[in-house]
Amino acid sequence: MLKMQFSDMLFLLLILLLLLPLIISMLTSRQRKQVELPKKTFTIIECIKGDYKETREFRLGDFVGKVVGTCKNCGSDLVISLIYTEVQKIPGARSRTSQHSKSHICSSTLITYLHHYEFII
Amino acid sequence: MQLNPINALTNGDSGFTTALILLIIFAMSFLMNFTDIPQRIQLMRWSRNIRARLYQLEQMIFSAKNKASEFFRSMGLNNPRGIIDGFLNNFFVIEPVSIEPTDIIKRLDHLIRSRDTMVKKYVEEVMSDKGKVERENATVVLEIVRLLHMVYKIIKHYYLTALKHNNWVLMMQLALSMPQIMRELEAVHKALDAFSTGKPVGDSAGALVAAKLIGQATRREIAEDTVMAEVMFDGRKLVVIKAEGPGATVGKPGEAIEKLVERLGYRPSRIITVDAALKLEGEESGEIAFGSGAAIGDPGPEKIRIERVATKCGAALDAVVIKMSIEEAINEMTKEIAEGCMKALETIKKIIKERTKPSDTVVVIGVGNSVGVF
């Protein structure tokens, strides 16, 4: 029968301690798979006199300022006023950009106080 | 005396086991402290990590080339791979001499324009029967593939150099920078979708605000790929300048305002620039901030022109910025940024009302890429 004494247990513990960082390192170095959230692009069409507004999905060839027809109410031009993309929300899925830890926010606040310049692109 | 450690473990010879433990600890501490084994192990780990990222990058370039090929094929072009390959390794710019700073801006401007002309000619040659908007969007698509290819080559160069010289410091720097580089390159890769379909991107924020101010007013070309329009607002004459659009171009806003003042004789009392700005981590996308100076992120020539004109006219120079991340700046415009543009428009109107008098002339420059914005 296996007889375990204090020194033997110490030996096993040492081996475990040596292996532990290796296992932790292997687990944490693996890249967490990011969930790619589906996106949808919308086009907002407005009457230039402001009495009609419509939102539809983006179609190839759309651009802001494009005249797409005439208003049913007043006969003025219907113009694409905005095109924007929205990320569809899936319950439980993590977004790539919106996760900020508290320490992150604190450090960025500090940076905001230190820098007076904006990074214009 | 038992010499076998297994026997020692099973039979419980504590004296031998303790000696063995001490020996292992001593040997390991010696190896870890007085040899370069830890560095070599780390070098191996980092190099494996970089190799994996380089492979990911290769896949990204492959996908980008396929997307670009698809885009050119959809336009009816026969040899899309030839068009892409002809662009990849060429069209670089060598920086002007900076140890003699006299006229450096003129020289830089000249080099940038020469390069732009060269690129335009290349695209015109391969897409001679296509319209201006298609050619401008195609130019950005080619630039994106070129950027990915160039970054890949640079990373590979540093990786191989570090490996060749066993330079673990270089390898470490590269390995630690890789996650951020990859995140930005993924954003660049995704930008292909926006530019190939002609959707507005985050950087179009400035152009969008300018387009909102122009509305249906008549536009005229004032500089290369740049238009101006005159509109009245609350008794003030607004001269709005923006890149032409809806193709992907940034125009020459500096040259435009220079012409406006020097050739057309306008005397603005205030110049307002509006552009996208990089947010700091923790800041919200679409936030608005205003301050002084020219909000334009060009290498220098356009910005200095705006500053010089403002100084010459004694006009106050205001900057209104819409905050976003680098990923948002080059990808499809999000709802937050679109809302930010509307807030920026209100901020500009407020500045005009509060800081100018009726009958004043105010120049508003919408800086940024005009993709998807007329």
Side-chain angles (χ1 to χ4, degrees):
Chain A
M1 216 178 98
L2 191 75
K3 281 188 250 169
M4 289 285 277
Q5 288 190 357
F6 176 72
S7 57
D8 304 330
M9 281 168 70
L10 198 71
F11 183 71
L12 284 174
L13 198 72
L14 185 80
I15 291 169
L16 276 175
L17 278 175
L18 285 171
L19 284 173
L20 200 67
L22 191 73
I23 294 162
I24 291 171
S25 161
M26 278 174 72
L27 288 174
T28 52
S29 67
R30 273 176 193 273
Q31 255 200 321
R32 203 179 291 171
K33 213 173 181 184
Q34 295 279 350
V35 184
E36 199 63 52
L37 300 174
K39 291 189 282 186
K40 231 178 200 180
T41 306
F42 298 98
T43 299
I44 298 180
I45 299 164
E46 275 180 277
C47 167
I48 52 166
K49 288 194 176 157
D51 56 2
Y52 180 79
K53 194 176 176 181
E54 177 197 335
T55 305
R56 62 158 165 80
E57 261 194 65
F58 175 84
R59 288 179 203 150
L60 211 63
D62 282 358
F63 58 83
V64 175
K66 186 182 183 183
V67 179
V68 287
T70 49
C71 179
K72 289 169 200 165
N73 303 332
C74 66
S76 307
D77 285 342
L78 282 178
V79 177
I80 294 178
S81 62
L82 205 61
I83 296 169
Y84 65 88
T85 301
E86 241 182 336
V87 176
Q88 305 295 298
K89 281 176 187 147
I90 297 172
R94 278 174 54 153
S95 154
R96 237 164 216 257
T97 50
S98 61
Q99 306 296 322
H100 295 294
S101 67
K102 202 173 178 184
S103 62
H104 226 121
I105 292 164
C106 292
S107 61
S108 73
T109 315
L110 187 71
I111 296 164
T112 318
Y113 284 117
L114 291 172
H115 293 271
H116 298 284
Y117 300 103
E118 296 293 344
F119 305 102
I120 313 296
I121 41 177
Chain B
M1 201 170 110
Q2 289 170 310
L3 288 173
N4 190 341
I6 307 295
N7 285 346
L9 266 176
T10 48
N11 297 337
D13 190 334
S14 62
F16 180 81
T17 317
T18 315
L20 192 70
I21 291 167
L22 287 172
L23 187 71
I24 290 169
I25 292 172
F26 178 75
M28 285 192 74
S29 125
F30 181 81
L31 288 173
M32 292 295 163
N33 288 307
F34 301 106
T35 66
D36 59 356
I37 288 173
Q39 281 80 17
R40 283 186 181 276
I41 295 169
Q42 277 190 323
L43 188 82
M44 275 164 58
R45 286 184 60 222
W46 284 325
S47 78
R48 197 185 60 203
N49 179 296
I50 297 166
R51 256 201 320 274
R53 302 294 169 107
L54 275 172
Y55 177 70
Q56 272 180 31
L57 199 47
E58 260 176 40
Q59 299 293 312
M60 210 186 275
I61 295 168
F62 182 71
S63 148
K65 279 183 182 174
N66 279 347
K67 276 185 186 176
S69 298
E70 220 170 274
F71 170 69
F72 287 119
R73 216 169 281 130
S74 72
M75 286 182 164
L77 298 169
N78 294 326
N79 183 20
R81 278 293 164 135
I83 296 170
I84 297 163
D85 292 339
F87 193 80
L88 281 189
N89 290 313
N90 305 314
F91 303 107
F92 57 82
V93 182
I94 299 167
E95 276 182 36
V97 174
S98 57
I99 51 167
E100 166 56 287
T102 313
D103 74 0
I104 190 167
I105 284 290
K106 272 188 188 169
R107 284 182 279 132
L108 182 64
D109 188 29
H110 178 66
L111 290 174
I112 292 170
R113 277 167 195 269
S114 304
R115 196 254 180 196
D116 284 352
T117 313
M118 223 162 37
V119 171
K120 268 189 180 175
K121 279 205 171 143
Y122 177 78
V123 177
E124 266 171 25
E125 266 172 35
V126 296
M127 297 175 68
S128 49
D129 57 335
K130 301 291 160 206
K132 197 179 176 193
V133 175
E134 283 94 347
R135 285 205 303 266
E136 282 168 352
N137 290 352
T139 308
V140 180
V141 167
L142 284 172
E143 293 280 13
I144 289 172
V145 183
R146 185 177 174 275
L147 176 74
L148 290 172
H149 182 70
M150 198 178 70
V151 176
Y152 169 74
K153 283 205 304 186
I154 294 169
I155 294 170
K156 196 174 174 186
H157 163 77
Y158 282 119
Y159 166 70
L160 291 174
T161 308
L163 214 59
K164 189 175 167 183
H165 301 288
N166 266 333
N167 188 341
W168 65 270
V169 176
L170 184 59
M171 193 70 91
M172 178 187 72
Q173 284 177 323
L174 198 56
L176 297 181
S177 311
M178 279 313 274
Q180 197 185 346
I181 295 172
M182 290 304 289
R183 210 180 120 206
E184 287 177 13
L185 290 180
E186 269 171 34
V188 172
H189 177 239
K190 278 186 202 160
L192 269 174
D193 296 329
F195 286 100
S196 57
T197 50
K199 290 175 192 167
V201 294
D203 191 40
S204 311
L208 180 64
V209 173
K212 290 277 165 199
L213 277 172
I214 294 173
Q216 303 297 304
T218 316
R219 299 152 185 241
R220 59 179 160 134
E221 191 166 357
I222 185 165
E224 192 187 355
D225 301 330
T226 315
V227 290
M228 64 161 276
E230 272 181 33
V231 283
M232 291 304 290
F233 173 74
D234 212 30
R236 284 88 165 164
K237 187 200 273 180
L238 297 191
V239 182
V240 188
I241 295 169
K242 72 177 277 294
E244 196 176 1
T249 176
V250 288
K252 303 273 179 210
E255 190 188 327
I257 194 164
E258 207 175 62
K259 276 189 185 168
L260 201 74
V261 170
E262 285 172 8
R263 292 195 201 164
L264 304 175
Y266 283 83
R267 281 287 170 268
S269 60
R270 208 159 194 102
I271 298 168
I272 305 169
T273 49
V274 53
D275 193 9
L278 286 185
K279 67 170 185 173
L280 297 166
E281 284 295 336
E283 280 187 314
E284 290 292 324
S285 296
E287 257 182 33
I288 301 298
F290 62 86
S292 292
I296 174 167
D298 84 313
E302 297 302 313
K303 189 174 183 175
I304 204 165
R305 280 189 169 120
I306 299 172
E307 288 170 351
R308 279 182 179 149
V309 167
T311 313
K312 192 179 173 185
C313 300
L317 191 52
D318 289 306
V320 177
V321 294
I322 301 132
K323 305 279 185 79
M324 61 191 75
S325 67
I326 185 75
E327 290 88 351
E328 287 168 325
I330 55 174
N331 280 288
E332 290 109 327
M333 185 179 281
T334 60
K335 197 178 182 185
E336 291 78 26
I337 296 167
E339 283 166 358
C341 291
M342 298 305 120
K343 282 186 218 158
L345 187 65
E346 292 312 311
T347 309
I348 290 170
K349 285 179 180 172
K350 201 176 159 201
I351 290 173
I352 295 168
K353 277 182 188 168
E354 288 175 0
R355 301 183 201 168
T356 62
K357 298 187 294 289
S359 81
D360 273 357
T361 302
V362 182
V363 176
V364 180
I365 308 173
V367 183
N369 201 305
S370 61
V371 61
V373 182
F374 177 61

